[in-house]
Amino acid sequence: MLEELLAYTQQFDVPTEASDGLGRLTGFVEAYLTGMHQRSPRSEAFLKLWTESTGSEPSLAPLFAERDAWFRQHLERHIREGLTDKSIRRETDPTIAAVAIIGLLRGTAMMAFSTARDIAVDELASEVARGIGRSLAAQPGPAGGPGSSS
């Protein structure tokens, strides 16, 4: 039952119209954070269970490990697409970046449900997505040279 609850709490619509991997990644980030707020009760339940899985309720840990593995692979896929289409900096490690992004998303979501309830979630989601976009974006180089997006 808990496994089904976790899967249910992580369902949301994700935009797919972006033309490159970085755009799909930042679109996903924005949809995730906005969706967490729109699905408030189930999202809050997910975050509470997630925090419990790290200590006081060890039986939850394997369930979250499975969901987190899926989540990490999903983000890694977007990052690899961005590496392939050169929208993401070539030195980016997809696994490390995905774990860092998950930490940022979960921490931001926890803040939005606790001490930052006064912040508009859509603005917060947009800012986080822009920050990730800026940090991972490939830097344009000379036309046709290293770092070039063309």
Side-chain angles (χ1 to χ4, degrees), residues 13-120:
D13 294 326
V14 179
T16 58
E17 67 273 358
S19 63
D20 60 31
L22 182 60
R24 286 186 291 280
L25 176 66
T26 57
F28 177 86
V29 164
E30 194 162 353
Y32 178 90
L33 290 173
T34 301
M36 288 290 277
H37 191 266
Q38 291 170 345
R39 301 176 338 269
S40 185
R42 70 183 188 184
S43 297
E44 285 188 74
F46 173 84
L47 291 169
K48 287 177 183 176
L49 288 169
W50 176 64
T51 58
E52 292 295 317
S53 77
T54 63
S56 63
E57 190 51 57
S59 64
L60 293 172
L63 297 174
F64 276 92
E66 181 181 320
R67 297 303 303 168
D68 282 353
W70 173 87
F71 194 22
R72 189 168 80 185
Q73 290 169 358
H74 183 78
L75 293 174
E76 286 176 13
R77 186 174 63 247
H78 287 309
I79 294 165
R80 283 190 178 88
E81 289 170 1
L83 289 167
T84 299
D85 66 31
K86 297 186 171 108
S87 60
I88 291 180
R89 289 183 293 109
R90 66 175 171 240
E91 66 272 11
T92 301
D93 180 299
T95 301
I96 293 171
V99 169
I101 291 168
I102 292 170
L104 177 61
L105 292 176
R106 297 258 175 89
T108 300
M110 292 291 279
M111 291 292 298
F113 284 121
S114 60
T115 60
R117 288 183 185 261
D118 60 325
I119 304 295

